[in-house]
Amino acid sequence: MSIPYEQKAPAALDQLGLTVALTHLDQACQQAAAEAWSYSHFLGYLLDGELAERHRKTVQLNFQFAHFPCLKRLEEFEFSAQPTIDRRLIDELATGRFVHDGRNIIFLGPPGIGKTHLAIALGVLIAEMGHRVYFSAAIDMVRRLAKAMADNRLHREMNNLTRPKLLIIDEVGYLALETAEASLLFQVISQRYERQQPIVLTSNKAFADWSHVFASDPIMASAALDRLLHRSTVINIRGDSYRMKEKRKAGSPDPNPQPQPRRRRVPDSSKEVLIVNDP
Ligand code: ADP
Ligand code: MG
């Protein structure tokens, strides 16, 4: 005697690995009968639950894999504090299209202006879209690669950096790299470029100073920049450190006070003019 389909369903779901659908099968059947669902509504309900749970697990794994130093979100970013940032551009990046287009995003500017915050926030969004993201400070990344090279496992370590859909390299230029370290950073940039895999990078150094970043090797610096900038969006942030602003708001003294614009009267003129940083 053949087994009726009703009885086959649980075993089939189990065999197919649709564990969430299996867990919800009885409840879905009862609800479908009580609310007179169509067959397609019933099937859609079960499969949607399965997919939602799979996505949740993927995102959870993506977050573990990403090694974000902390969680930062775009909603927490106060755009009014950093008027040189084009909000619409950041919103466009938040759609994730730059990842599919293989476009690099480079945040430049002095410390404390939100470069790392924005890089992490974009990484978080991409991880939530279901893609692998990997975050590393530049110096940690090259030191891990150097160690891997010494242990004869450079290829595997390099794969960890070239495979993820998005690589975030933070703080390029904060510490000067030695020649071997600079060459490893170059290899990462070059390999991702060849695979059209995007990088989000932050640096406090203007491109003109990048030869210092690459162990005073202008040829390596320009070859790295060439690849990074080929398909890229550069976001140059100018402004005051957010931390310092917050401190000033809280009333503590500023260790690096900004020169204040001063007003003075110009001789032979009845007009008062604004003179910024006049000695
Ligand atoms: P950078 O990488 O440019 O040195 P960070 O992104 O590390 O700066 O910012 C320093 C701190 O200030 C972080 O805690 C960050 O979340 C916060 N921060 C910076 N800019 C903003 C901003 N515009 N709105 C909210 N928080 C900010
Ligand atoms: Mg930073």
Side-chain angles (χ1 to χ4, degrees), residues 72 76-78 81 110-117 174 242-243:
K72 297 282 178 188
E76 296 158 359
F77 197 81
E78 230 185 286
I113 50 162
K115 302 184 297 298
T116 303
H117 185 131
Y174 277 68
Y242 186 81
R243 289 192 199 98

Side-chain angles (χ1 to χ4, degrees), residues 166-199:
L166 178 66
L167 175 68
I168 303 175
I169 312 178
D170 195 31
E171 299 190 343
V172 171
Y174 277 68
L175 291 174
L177 303 180
E178 292 165 9
T179 306
E181 293 172 337
S183 137
L184 289 167
L185 174 59
F186 175 76
Q187 282 182 54
V188 173
I189 291 171
S190 177
Q191 289 195 18
R192 287 194 67 91
Y193 172 75
E194 268 145 37
R195 295 171 186 216
Q196 300 201 10
Q197 293 276 61
I199 295 175

Side-chain angles (χ1 to χ4, degrees), residues 99-213:
V99 170
H100 299 289
D101 297 346
R103 172 169 289 273
N104 298 325
I105 312 299
I106 302 172
F107 291 104
L108 296 181
I113 50 162
K115 302 184 297 298
T116 303
H117 185 131
L118 290 171
I120 294 176
L122 287 179
V124 163
L125 285 172
I126 303 302
E128 284 175 342
M129 287 172 195
H131 301 298
R132 276 277 156 105
V133 176
Y134 188 71
F135 178 103
S136 181
I139 193 72
D140 296 339
M141 187 179 88
V142 293
R143 291 199 174 146
R144 259 197 323 276
L145 285 168
K147 168 101 178 45
M149 189 156 71
D151 298 345
N152 241 341
R153 48 175 184 83
L154 180 61
H155 186 67
R156 196 158 12 120
E157 191 68 36
M158 207 46 114
N159 273 345
N160 287 340
L161 299 168
T162 48
R163 287 227 178 107
K165 192 82 177 167
L166 178 66
L167 175 68
I168 303 175
I169 312 178
D170 195 31
E171 299 190 343
V172 171
Y174 277 68
L175 291 174
L177 303 180
E178 292 165 9
T179 306
E181 293 172 337
S183 137
L184 289 167
L185 174 59
F186 175 76
Q187 282 182 54
V188 173
I189 291 171
S190 177
Q191 289 195 18
R192 287 194 67 91
Y193 172 75
E194 268 145 37
R195 295 171 186 216
Q196 300 201 10
Q197 293 276 61
I199 295 175
V200 169
L201 183 147
T202 80
S203 179
N204 61 336
K205 292 272 191 298
F207 293 140
D209 299 328
W210 269 44
S211 68
H212 302 301
V213 175

Side-chain angles (χ1 to χ4, degrees), residues 77-86 107-115 118 174 203-204 235-246 248 254 256-259:
F77 197 81
E78 230 185 286
F79 283 91
S80 58
Q82 224 51 267
T84 62
I85 299 178
D86 180 354
F107 291 104
L108 296 181
I113 50 162
K115 302 184 297 298
L118 290 171
Y174 277 68
S203 179
N204 61 336
I235 299 172
N236 220 322
I237 311 174
R238 290 175 302 279
D240 290 342
S241 156
Y242 186 81
R243 289 192 199 98
M244 288 305 158
K245 270 190 200 159
E246 289 293 287
R248 276 201 290 275
D254 186 347
N256 300 307
Q258 298 287 314

